[in-house]
Every structure is written in C-alpha cells, then in structure tokens.
Amino acid sequence: MQTDSVTDFLIIGAGFSGLVMAERLASAGWRCVVVDRRSHLGGNAYDEVDRAGVLVHRYGPHYFRSNSPRIVEYLSRFTKWHEVAYTIKSHARGRYWSFPINLNTFEEYLGRGADTAEFEAWLARVREPIARPGNSEEVIVSQVGREFYQLFFEGYTLKQWQRHPRELDASVCGRIPIRTNRDDRYLMESFQALPQDGYTAMFGRMIEAAPGVELHLGVDFTEAKRRWRHRHLVFSGAVDEYFDYRLGHLPYRSLRFEAESFAGEALAARVAVSGKPGFWQPAMQVNYPEAGVPQTRIVEIKHATGQQVAATTIMREFPADWRPGDEPFYPVPAPDARAAYQQYARLAEAEEGVSFIGRLATYRYYNMDQVVGMALAEADQLLRRYGEGDIEF
Ligand code: UDP
C-alpha cells in the first residue's frame, strides 16, 4: 500500500461528473486526484473499439443531447461533434413500428395513409382525460389512449423497472415525445450529436487539458480515502455506499449486455431485414416492449456513430435486479425510492467538505448534459468558496 499523499480535491468517480469537476478545478490551479474503481475512465459513457473493429458503447447507448448552449460550448472545447438525428423503432405484433409515436406510427396502425388532422381527431377520441398526470401510466394514456400505451409502454416499462408504470413518476415515460407530424426523432432536445471520436477520446482530452489532474484507475473509495489526504472530497458514487448503507440499500436497476458481431456473408444476408448493407437491423435501436421477449432493446450503435467499418456489433440489453456488488445503472424514479433517498440526502447535507454530484450521488435519473450542468455549477461554487489554486502551469 502506498503511503499517504496530499491533494486539494479528491474526486471519486471518473465519469462525466467527476471529470468535469476535475477539469474545472485543475484549470483554476488546484491539484485533483480522480479515482475510479473500474479499469477505464468515462463511467457508463465509456466507449471502445471491440474485437470486430466496431466502436461500441460498452454500457448501453449514450445519445448526447442538450438544450443548453453553455453545456455544448463547454464540451466542444474537448470534442468535435458528429450530428445525428437519433431514430429508433419498436418491435411488436411481429413487425417494426415507427417510434416514438408519430403520424407514421398511426399509418402503420391503420394500414393506410392518414394526415395529422385525422390522427389528432383519433387521439381526441381515445385519450383519457387526466388534468395532471401523476404517474407514467397516466402521462401516456392521457396523450395516446390505452391501446398504444399497452402496445408500446406497459410491457417495456414492467420489464425495465419491474414496477408497473402507475408506480413510476410521470417523468419516466414522459421522457418519450409523442408527435402528430412525421418527426420521428427519439429525443426532443435542440442539440443532438455524438462526440466525433467517441466519449473516451473526449474524456482523454479533458484530462490532458488540465495538467493538475492525476487519474488512478482500479482504486475504490475506501482505498482512496486512505491514500490521499485532501482539502475537499467530490463524491460521484452511490450515496448509500458513501454512508456504508447505514440506512439500508437504496433501490437501483441494473442492466446486462450481450454483444454479438457480424461480418461477411452473415451480415450481407441481414440486408433483407435492415434494408441497409452493412447493418443488422433497420435502426440504431429497436425496442421490444412485449413481455415474451427478454431484452428491452437491441442497439446497433454504428447507425449513429457513422463509423465506416465492414463489420457491425449489436448489443442486446436485459434489465436486471440490482444486488450489492452489481453496477447500479438507474436510480428508481418513484415516490417510495425518493423518500428513502431523502434520508440519505439529509446526511449528505450535514457532511462537511464533501460535494455529492452525478446520477448516483444525488439519486436522479439525469441525462449526460444535466450531469455536466450540475458539475459545472458545483465547480463554480467550490471556486467561489476556495478561490484560485496555487499551481502554475
Ligand atoms: N419506454 C417504454 N417503451 C419504449 C421506450 C421507453 O415504455 O419503447 C419507457 C420505459 O419506462 C423507459 C422510459 O420510457 O424506462 C424512458 O425511456 P428511455 O429510452 O429514455 O430510457 P433510457 O435510455 O434512459 O434507458
């Protein structure tokens, strides 16, 4: 075991939140040690070229999107962007559907052409009037009625969360846009793009840009606390872990991925399904809302990255219960889980000299840009509190 050393900021977790904090603080002249228990940086946004030569998102698809010019401008210091109109499909009743629900979906449902006026009139008949949707079932049935809700949302949500949509916040299914025109993009935000050379390359440049950052991989929180005396701790791990689970475990959802690569004749034959040579399926993501199918989605990220490579890789994604020791992917956005978190939030507030940031430390179902925004704000606050550091580069 290495002997104690000293740093200004000890940052636990080398994902989006930890690395943004490290870059900001180190650029202001502070020494930052960033540790991560995994063997790579980037957290769940980590991407890498697999054995087939395909750039894959190792922990599920990360579709960068934002409405905030400030956040995009900040990240643009470390990457160029590959703009993508993220489009997906849903697979149910033995066929592919245009998804999220839009006019094309309605036409597929009718089996003939239609227009926005007809779709809106139909929706007006089937939607269930609910003035203030209070959960994920209500938010969907109040927009598109019960049949589309059952076809596209109910089974998927049950698989993903092992909870009924009625027991989940309205914001969970409410993330998915519903449109009566032909705009079939998956996301609503004005800026939609991937880092041109991938997330891992972008993170690497963030660290290079701030020479006061020292990165230690394969080091967990307990070891880090022993090794580095510090002025301030930035914690982006799971908040219940920080407190040694003294109030019990918070609920999380986990995921399991199965990757499969295709090339040569096997891939060539798939053009009958994908409609696009070199691809296995017709879109970057296909959702499987039906209960009889174990995966929630299959992602073929090459559609989105635009990588020019002969092979392709698909990732089947299976939701999993979280048990201690597993990777927690999602906090559970539901009233009971939030109440349990609030107990930890009170402990966190009382902690001196510690910042809790990111999805796991604040127990929020945040997108990447929101995490970046949170880290930028926290770094500003720390710089107001501690001033500029004394390292000159
Ligand atoms: N969802 C659904 N059917 C779909 C896609 C999403 O019911 O085809 C619901 C599901 O509850 C999911 C939530 O909407 O967890 C948010 O979906 P999103 O694709 O944004 O989830 P993420 O990519 O964050 O896992």
Side-chain angles (χ1 to χ4, degrees):
M1 179 64 57
Q2 221 168 300
T3 50
D4 270 7
S5 20
V6 181
T7 184
D8 294 314
F9 291 89
L10 176 59
I11 300 177
I12 310 299
F16 258 106
S17 47
L19 292 178
V20 169
M21 294 283 287
E23 188 282 325
R24 288 290 72 212
L25 296 166
S27 294
W30 293 106
R31 285 168 301 179
C32 295
V33 167
V34 184
V35 304
D36 201 295
R37 63 158 70 105
R38 298 191 212 175
S39 60
H40 59 73
L41 48 61
N44 287 345
Y46 176 70
D47 53 15
E48 64 177 349
V49 174
D50 68 9
R51 269 186 287 175
V54 183
L55 178 66
V56 293
H57 291 186
R58 190 47 73 200
Y59 302 95
H62 282 69
Y63 306 132
F64 190 82
R65 76 302 270 277
S66 186
N67 284 324
S68 161
R70 191 177 63 95
I71 291 169
V72 173
E73 182 278 321
Y74 169 72
L75 291 176
S76 301
R77 298 179 202 172
F78 315 106
T79 189
K80 293 195 171 71
W81 298 96
H82 170 68
E83 283 189 31
V84 201
Y86 302 115
T87 53
I88 75 164
K89 301 241 174 259
S90 186
H91 191 275
R93 296 184 183 165
R95 57 162 299 174
Y96 292 104
W97 298 82
S98 188
F99 192 82
I101 296 169
N102 65 81
L103 181 55
N104 298 332
T105 321
F106 184 55
E107 290 183 334
E108 289 155 6
Y109 173 74
L110 295 177
R112 61 165 173 82
D115 59 17
T116 294
E118 184 184 359
F119 188 23
E120 281 174 357
W122 183 84
L123 287 174
R125 274 200 309 281
V126 300
R127 70 164 65 106
E128 299 182 9
I130 300 168
R132 289 234 239 109
N135 60 53
S136 270
E137 176 177 278
E138 291 182 358
V139 80
I140 300 300
V141 297
S142 65
Q143 293 182 83
V144 297
R146 205 145 282 270
E147 186 174 359
F148 277 4
Y149 159 73
Q150 283 170 343
L151 183 56
F152 297 116
F153 290 92
E154 192 177 36
Y156 187 106
T157 300
L158 274 165
K159 273 198 279 190
Q160 168 75 4
W161 300 99
Q162 284 292 305
R163 281 179 182 232
H164 194 274
R166 276 193 295 271
E167 298 165 39
L168 290 164
D169 291 351
S171 58
V172 178
C173 288
R175 286 162 63 84
I176 310 293
I178 286 167
R179 306 186 183 97
T180 53
N181 58 18
R182 292 191 195 278
D183 181 355
D184 64 349
R185 286 171 309 152
Y186 190 31
L187 309 173
M188 313 186 199
E189 287 80 358
S190 53
F191 181 82
Q192 305 189 10
L194 289 173
Q196 197 173 65
D197 308 317
Y199 289 97
T200 305
M202 178 180 78
F203 292 133
R205 284 188 215 114
M206 284 171 80
I207 290 196
E208 279 165 29
V213 178
E214 217 182 286
L215 177 68
H216 295 263
L217 296 171
V219 174
D220 72 5
F221 178 40
T222 313
E223 183 184 341
K225 273 188 299 189
R226 244 191 342 251
R227 278 176 59 179
W228 287 278
R229 282 190 291 125
H230 51 272
R231 186 187 297 250
H232 191 98
L233 183 76
V234 175
F235 186 79
S236 74
V239 63
D240 51 346
E241 181 186 345
Y242 177 91
F243 290 106
D244 278 330
Y245 309 103
R246 77 171 81 139
L247 304 173
H249 287 277
L250 291 176
Y252 296 97
R253 291 297 290 159
S254 196
L255 296 171
R256 187 171 63 77
F257 303 97
E258 276 178 14
E260 197 176 351
S261 298
F262 298 85
E265 276 175 29
L267 181 54
R270 282 296 294 190
V271 77
V273 179
S274 71
K276 213 169 145 187
F279 289 89
W280 188 86
Q281 64 180 20
M284 103 193 150
Q285 177 176 317
V286 177
N287 290 355
Y288 289 84
E290 288 177 334
V293 185
Q295 75 262 9
T296 45
R297 54 190 180 188
I298 300 181
V299 172
E300 185 178 17
I301 204 71
K302 192 174 96 162
H303 281 280
T305 58
Q307 189 192 8
Q308 299 297 316
V309 56
T312 195
T313 298
I314 59 163
M315 299 270 252
R316 294 188 176 84
E317 194 169 314
F318 303 89
D321 292 336
W322 179 86
R323 291 194 187 75
D326 293 347
E327 213 52 76
F329 279 86
Y330 299 89
V332 177
D336 55 317
R338 212 174 11 263
Y341 162 67
Q342 284 310 328
Q343 311 268 341
Y344 276 113
R346 273 193 282 280
L347 291 182
E349 268 163 38
E351 245 354 57
E352 275 298 310
V354 186
S355 304
F356 292 87
I357 53 155
R359 227 187 211 207
L360 297 175
T362 63
Y363 203 72
R364 286 190 209 150
Y365 187 6
Y366 263 4
N367 293 329
M368 292 174 282
D369 66 321
Q370 295 170 303
V371 170
V372 173
M374 184 194 254
L376 290 174
E378 182 65 15
D380 279 351
Q381 207 172 324
L382 291 180
L383 291 175
R384 276 197 298 276
R385 175 164 159 196
Y386 292 107
E388 299 283 302
D390 50 15
I391 308 180
E392 292 195 10
F393 299 107

